[in-house]
């Protein structure tokens, strides 16, 4: 035994070959937390003193190789001053450099995911051999940072600048054959042969058959590029990368490129210092704080879903009522995750439409070679379209997705309750109607919950699971488990009109409507909000949702929250709807929808819209600067989120932020509405609420914000 820790051990195998194994005790994965970093340094010191070692392999005893750094530790570390972050990174790198400099060859045996720090660990070895089941990559930019354990230095030297920039800036992990093609690994082998293959490589190094010193030398030296080559490599990378993500919104790739540009012509130790400085700069951006927070929120939401699922009944067959946009989507999603589902409608043509949509989506996957035609047939056969309730007696859960009309929903739910087994769960996909109200029509309200999918179902990750007053924990648990089984991320919320996501979205539409009334141009508002980071501005969003759906939802919300969602004027959305402009579905909403020369849908700001909007615009039109547009719409949105926390509609800021990102596309780099308020500072936020309070209750600061500001609190921990 060369070194024994509870994260890392180094043992001797045969013929002077050591095995450095990552095997974090009581953990499901290996990661670089502070303790592992410390033990790595100690293990390297032990190896430095051991004269018997002639070569070494790096292995993992877990399913993953090394998952990366411990992201929970980032929250505290990134609060430190930039210079301290840099010093910390330089310090960690010391062990990596000393490991690289050991006087014998080293081979990484990559059995599973080698991500971030895991990939960087393999890069300090001279050779890398990878199981055909593993993946490897540097996904740090997705967290608003970039590799800081020598990853930008060694990858540029090992796979070349262009490849390294692509690997780092996109953050997409590579499968074995792609990694081999890039030169990121030297061989791929079947999983069972991995250790033997690694030992074989070390032996070849020891015998001199492989020139491992030359491989190492390559990593220690500057990249030899002349000025012209360098300019070309970096300029084309910048063009490609900035076209994909706006560097103002996602600065990490830009800082990574700028850092690499500074260190390519430096030897290793100097280059590592430059990398550490760039890393610290990225770590101090608000985007890094948001994206690290988002990662942790995502983990929390998934953990909560697991906890919620504990009391779940087994679901072997489901049914959906309604084969429209949502019912068809739900049936497709269930079937594609292996769950048989009955799809019932009252109109045969709707069933044909639902099946047609499912075939179209599956057909595209076959076209892209992501599915075989046989698998497509198998998936489609899991959906059983029907016009009657014949087979409903065995079903474990029925998801109701008929038209958004409380009376129709209540009568359909009552009818189906009489036909299913006693413990069958009934779930409504209503967008706005209170679950407690719908439950009044039922004999077994404890078996009834809300299950709110988003459109398009196959793409939108969120499902709100809504607890009505009488919903049982088993019904919640079963619905949460079903959503997870369908590949979705469930968030459990309590009942109220609009639940969480739509309750927050409608005041935002209300703020948009008020801006238009006072003279703002809808196309300009869209541009400003898209620049702010939304995937689409409010006018385009309502066109996609449908103005009819919007008006209908607004009525339900106005009844539920008249103090802030019932305007005393007729807004633009209502007026356009009355003029039969329904949005994308009939080709005219705020925008006119045309097809371009290539047959792709194109939206154009329509003169007819401006003409119509004269009727709902004040005669004394005001001009708004971009910040006013952002502040007014975001206040309405964020205030309602806080009110949902106050009313216990949603339990935690983490769940609220995740729901808004996954449900309506809140800009991820801003971390969600609660993070947005934190980053603005609660006092500043409060001052903004006061500035706009005269516009109505939706803009007034909720009591929770006042209390938090007075107590100096924030939504997320500050250290
Ligand atoms: N479209 C969206 O963006 C969206 C998003 C989330 C939730 N929702 C909600 O999902 C539900 C369905 O919306 P949609 O957009 O799919 O509507 P849709 O009009 O496309 O489909 C409704 C379907 O229900 C069928 N139907 C009517 N009465 C029925 C009955 N008694 N039994 C069986 N089928 C019946 C209709 O024939 C139609 O096929 C609504 O409650 C809506 O609020 C919609």
């Amino acid at each position: 035994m060369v070194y024994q820790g509870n994260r890392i051990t180094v043992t001797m195998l045969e013929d002077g070959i050591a095995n450095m194994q990552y095997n974090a005790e009581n953990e499901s994965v290996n990661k670089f937390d502070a303790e592992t970093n410390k033990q790595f340094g100690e293990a390297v010191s032990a190896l430095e003193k051991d004269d018997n070692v002639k070569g070494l392999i790096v292995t993992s005893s877990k399913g993953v190789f090394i998952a990366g750094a411990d992201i929970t530790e980032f929250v505290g570390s990134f609060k430190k001053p930039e210079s301290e972050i840099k010093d910390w990174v330089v310090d960690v790198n010391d062990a990596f450099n000393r490991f690289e400099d050991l006087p014998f060859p080293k081979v990484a045996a990559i059995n599973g995911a080698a991500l971030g720090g895991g990939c960087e660990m393999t890069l300090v070895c001279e050779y890398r051999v990878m199981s055909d089941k593993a993946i490897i990559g540097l996904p740090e930019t997705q967290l608003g940072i970039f590799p800081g354990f020598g990853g930008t230095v060694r990858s540029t030297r090992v796979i070349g600048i262009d490849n390294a920039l692509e690997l780092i800036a996109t953050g997409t992990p590579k499968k074995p054959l792609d990694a081999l093609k890039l030169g990121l690994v030297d061989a791929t082998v079947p999983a069972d042969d991995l250790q033997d293959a690694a030992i074989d490589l070390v032996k070849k190094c020891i015998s001199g058959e492989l020139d491992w010193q030359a491989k190492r030398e390559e990593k220690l030296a500057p990249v030899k590029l002349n000025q012209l080559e360098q300019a070309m490599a970096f300029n084309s990378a910048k063009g490609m990368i900035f076209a994909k993500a706006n560097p103002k919104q996602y600065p990490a790739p830009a800082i990574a490129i700028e850092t690499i540009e500074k260190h390519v012509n430096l030897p290793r130790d100097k280059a590592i210092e430059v990398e550490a400085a760039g890393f610290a700069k990225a770590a101090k951006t608000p985007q890094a704080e948001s994206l690290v927070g988002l990662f942790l929120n995502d983990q929390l939401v998934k953990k909560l879903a697991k906890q919620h699922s504990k009391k779940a009944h087994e679901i072997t067959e489901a049914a959906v009522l309604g084969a429209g946009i949502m019912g068809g989507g739900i049936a497709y999603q269930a079937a594609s995750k292996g769950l048989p589902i009955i799809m019932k409608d009252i109109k045969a043509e709707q069933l044909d439409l639902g099946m047609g949509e499912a075939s179209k989506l599956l057909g595209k996957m076959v076209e892209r070679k992501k599915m075989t035609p046989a698998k497509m047939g198998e998936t489609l056969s899991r959906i059983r379209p029907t016009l009657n309730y014949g087979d409903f007696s065995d079903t474990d859960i029925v998801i109701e997705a008929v038209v958004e009309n409380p009376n129709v929903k209540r009568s359909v739910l009552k009818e189906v309750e009489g036909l299913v087994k006693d413990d069958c769960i009934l779930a409504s996909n209503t967008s706005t109607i209170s679950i407690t109200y719908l439950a009044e029509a039922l004999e077994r309200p404890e078996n009834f919950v809300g299950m709110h999918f988003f459109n398009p179902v196959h793409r939108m990750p969120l499902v709100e699971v809504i607890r009505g007053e009488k919903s049982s924990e088993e019904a919640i648990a079963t619905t949460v488990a079903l959503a997870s089984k369908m590949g979705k991320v469930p968030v459990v919320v309590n009942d109220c009109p609009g639940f969480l996501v739509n309750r927050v979205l409608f005041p935002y539409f209300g703020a948009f409507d008020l801006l238009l009334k006072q003279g703002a141009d809808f196309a300009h508002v869209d541009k400003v909000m898209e620049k702010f980071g939304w995937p689409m501005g409010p006018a385009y969003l309502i066109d996609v949702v449908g103005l009819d759906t919007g008006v209908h939802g607004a009525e339900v919300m106005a009844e539920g929250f008249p103090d802030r969602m019932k305007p005393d004027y007729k807004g633009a959305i209502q007026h356009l709807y009355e003029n039969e402009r329904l949005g994308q579905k009939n080709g005219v909403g705020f925008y006119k929808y045309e097809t371009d020369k290539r047959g792709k849908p194109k939206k154009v700001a329509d003169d007819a819209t401006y003409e119509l909007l004269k009727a709902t615009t004040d005669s004394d039109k005001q001009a708004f600067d971009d910040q006013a547009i952002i502040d007014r719409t975001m206040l309405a949105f964020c205030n309602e989120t806080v009110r949902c926390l106050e009313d216990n509609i949603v339990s935690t800021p983490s769940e609220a932020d995740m729901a808004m990102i996954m449900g309506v596309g809140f800009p991820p780099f801003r971390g969600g509405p609660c993070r947005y308020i934190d980053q603005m500072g609660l006092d500043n936020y409060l001052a903004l609420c006061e500035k706009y309070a005269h516009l109505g209750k939706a803009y007034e600061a909720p009591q929770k914000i006042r209390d938090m500001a007075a107590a100096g609190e924030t939504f997320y921990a500050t250290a």
Side-chain angles (χ1 to χ4, degrees), residues 511-708:
F512 166 63
D513 241 359
L514 184 57
L515 277 166
L516 297 201
K517 175 182 179 307
Q518 295 181 330
D521 169 0
F522 70 89
H524 178 66
V525 174
D526 271 6
K527 269 201 196 113
V528 171
M529 297 314 285
E530 284 161 17
K531 208 167 136 204
F532 176 82
W534 286 93
M536 49 182 87
Y540 187 25
L541 179 60
I542 192 79
D543 272 4
V544 171
V545 170
L547 278 83
D548 50 344
T549 309
V551 165
H552 190 71
E555 283 163 11
V556 179
M557 301 311 293
E559 201 183 319
F561 306 101
D563 63 341
R564 50 194 192 275
M565 299 191 207
K566 190 172 184 180
D568 56 4
Y569 58 89
K570 188 201 274 185
I573 299 173
Q574 173 81 31
H575 187 59
L576 292 184
Y577 163 70
E578 285 171 9
N579 283 276
E580 288 166 26
R581 298 178 76 98
L582 306 185
Q584 268 185 343
K585 64 176 76 164
N586 74 345
V588 278
F590 277 95
Y591 297 94
K592 192 161 67 179
Y593 294 87
E594 297 172 344
T595 41
D596 67 12
K597 280 182 212 145
R598 276 178 283 152
K600 291 211 163 160
K602 177 177 109 178
K603 71 179 194 326
V604 281
D606 188 6
D607 286 344
T609 309
Y610 289 110
E611 204 46 48
L612 279 170
L613 291 187
K614 283 182 183 162
T616 54
T617 307
D618 294 344
S619 50
D620 54 337
K621 278 171 73 164
Q622 299 174 35
F624 298 99
D625 63 27
D626 294 0
Q627 195 57 46
I629 291 171
I630 293 167
D631 288 343
R632 290 173 54 152
T633 48
M634 292 315 294
L635 277 190
F637 190 97
C638 296
N639 277 348
E640 200 58 37
T641 307
V642 176
R643 291 196 172 95
C644 285
L645 282 164
E646 268 178 344
D647 295 351
N648 195 30
I649 297 305
V650 61
S651 308
T652 60
S654 298
E655 291 166 279
D657 279 354
M658 283 303 291
M660 293 311 159
I661 289 170
M662 292 187 297
V664 284
F666 191 98
F669 67 92
R670 296 189 188 275
C674 297
R675 177 81 62 189
Y676 181 71
I677 297 174
D678 267 4
Q679 290 190 340
M680 186 184 294
L682 270 89
D683 287 336
N684 294 334
Y685 185 82
L686 197 56
L688 211 53
C689 290
E690 269 152 28
K691 177 175 173 187
Y692 288 113
H694 66 280
L695 294 176
K697 185 95 180 154
Y699 305 82
E700 277 176 26
Q703 190 57 40
K704 187 177 171 67
I705 289 283
R706 294 179 196 283
D707 295 345
M708 286 174 69

Side-chain angles (χ1 to χ4, degrees), residues 324-326 345 350 401-402 404 409 412 429 431 452-453 455:
I325 298 172
M326 296 307 287
D345 206 288
Q350 286 295 103
V402 304
E404 186 78 348
K409 283 198 188 286
V412 168
N429 180 46
S431 316
H452 184 209
F453 289 87
N455 185 20

Side-chain angles (χ1 to χ4, degrees), residues 37-283:
N37 287 335
K38 179 174 149 268
Q39 292 189 15
F40 179 50
E42 290 167 0
V44 176
S45 299
L47 283 163
E48 282 169 342
K49 287 186 207 115
D50 197 313
D51 294 336
N52 299 320
V53 182
K54 296 194 181 68
L56 176 144
I57 59 169
V58 183
T59 62
S60 154
S61 65
K62 311 273 174 186
V64 300
F65 179 70
I66 302 170
D70 182 353
I71 292 157
T72 54
E73 289 182 356
F74 285 173
V75 178
S77 317
F78 290 5
K79 299 273 181 225
K80 294 182 180 149
E82 198 170 316
S83 61
E84 272 183 47
I85 300 176
K86 183 190 163 195
D87 292 347
W88 163 66
V89 180
V90 169
D91 199 40
V92 174
N93 270 295
D94 177 61
F96 280 81
N97 294 349
R98 286 194 296 120
F99 180 81
E100 188 167 50
D101 295 341
L102 286 167
F104 47 77
K106 301 168 290 299
V107 176
I110 307 163
N111 61 312
L115 299 173
C119 173
E120 292 174 289
M121 181 65 222
T122 73
L123 285 167
V124 272
C125 298
E126 283 75 37
Y127 289 95
R128 287 157 293 284
V129 52
M130 183 175 185
S131 141
D132 55 4
K133 304 268 182 312
I135 52 163
I136 185 166
L138 295 168
E140 288 90 339
T141 48
Q142 291 169 7
L143 294 172
I145 50 173
F146 60 82
F149 297 167
T152 70
V153 176
R154 296 188 179 92
S155 66
T156 40
R157 277 111 179 125
V158 170
I159 60 175
I161 289 183
D162 293 349
N163 289 335
L165 290 176
E166 193 265 345
L167 186 73
I168 292 164
T170 63
T172 313
K174 302 287 174 194
K175 290 184 181 158
L177 287 181
D178 295 331
L180 186 64
K181 233 184 272 170
L182 272 184
L184 189 56
V185 297
D186 302 286
T188 69
V189 294
D192 288 343
D193 301 341
L194 182 67
Q195 183 147 332
D196 288 347
I199 291 174
D200 190 48
L201 265 178
V202 179
K203 283 185 176 164
K204 285 189 171 133
C205 292
I206 297 170
S207 71
E209 203 177 316
L210 290 172
D211 187 358
W212 59 274
Q213 284 99 338
K215 286 284 248 184
R216 180 184 298 181
E217 207 41 52
E218 231 172 56
K219 290 191 289 160
L220 301 181
V223 183
K224 291 171 198 78
L225 283 187
N226 66 36
Q227 265 186 339
L228 181 65
E229 286 167 331
Q230 190 168 329
M232 276 173 59
F234 285 99
N235 287 342
S236 68
K238 282 178 200 164
M240 189 262 294
I241 288 153
F242 299 164
K244 280 193 191 150
N246 179 343
K248 287 214 171 99
Q249 298 177 346
Y250 294 93
I255 305 176
I257 297 173
E258 162 197 304
T259 303
I260 295 170
E261 205 168 359
K262 278 188 203 153
H263 74 48
V264 276
N265 285 328
L266 296 176
R268 183 196 67 190
D269 291 0
K270 290 251 177 290
I272 294 273
E273 284 221 8
V274 172
E275 180 188 90
F279 179 91
K281 180 177 170 186

Side-chain angles (χ1 to χ4, degrees), residues 320-330 344-351 353 386-387 389 400-405 408-409 411-413 415 428-433 451-457 502 544-546 549 552 585:
V320 62
L321 296 178
I325 298 172
M326 296 307 287
I330 292 166
K344 179 187 178 295
D345 206 288
I346 47 174
K347 293 182 191 151
E349 65 269 25
Q350 286 295 103
L351 292 175
L353 219 68
T386 177
L387 291 171
Y389 284 115
E400 169 278 308
V402 304
V403 284
E404 186 78 348
N405 175 318
V408 175
K409 283 198 188 286
S411 92
V412 168
L413 286 163
E415 180 179 42
S428 175
N429 180 46
T430 172
S431 316
T432 49
I433 308 166
M451 188 177 193
H452 184 209
F453 289 87
F454 291 77
N455 185 20
V457 176
N502 280 333
V544 171
V545 170
T549 309
H552 190 71
K585 64 176 76 164

Side-chain angles (χ1 to χ4, degrees), residues 403-559:
V403 284
E404 186 78 348
N405 175 318
N407 295 333
V408 175
K409 283 198 188 286
R410 277 167 72 122
S411 92
V412 168
L413 286 163
K414 194 173 161 61
E415 180 179 42
V416 76
E417 188 187 40
L419 300 165
V420 294
K421 55 189 183 185
D422 280 1
D423 61 352
C424 174
I425 309 292
L426 299 185
S428 175
N429 180 46
T430 172
S431 316
T432 49
I433 308 166
S434 155
I435 295 305
T436 303
Y437 172 72
L438 290 175
E440 285 168 11
L442 299 173
E443 297 285 327
R444 298 186 292 276
E446 66 278 10
N447 286 353
F448 180 60
V449 296
M451 188 177 193
H452 184 209
F453 289 87
F454 291 77
N455 185 20
V457 176
H458 68 283
R459 254 204 237 128
M460 298 295 283
L462 181 68
V463 170
E464 281 181 288
V465 175
I466 302 119
R467 182 191 284 118
E469 256 169 36
K470 297 194 173 157
S471 308
S472 71
E473 282 313 307
E474 282 83 359
I476 296 288
T478 308
T479 312
V480 166
L482 174 64
S484 303
K485 188 168 175 168
M486 287 172 73
K488 299 293 163 191
V489 183
V491 170
V492 177
V493 297
N494 284 318
D495 187 30
C496 67
F499 324 120
L500 171 62
V501 172
N502 280 333
R503 177 168 155 180
V504 170
L505 193 59
F506 275 91
Y508 171 77
F509 282 140
F512 166 63
D513 241 359
L514 184 57
L515 277 166
L516 297 201
K517 175 182 179 307
Q518 295 181 330
D521 169 0
F522 70 89
H524 178 66
V525 174
D526 271 6
K527 269 201 196 113
V528 171
M529 297 314 285
E530 284 161 17
K531 208 167 136 204
F532 176 82
W534 286 93
M536 49 182 87
Y540 187 25
L541 179 60
I542 192 79
D543 272 4
V544 171
V545 170
L547 278 83
D548 50 344
T549 309
V551 165
H552 190 71
E555 283 163 11
V556 179
M557 301 311 293
E559 201 183 319

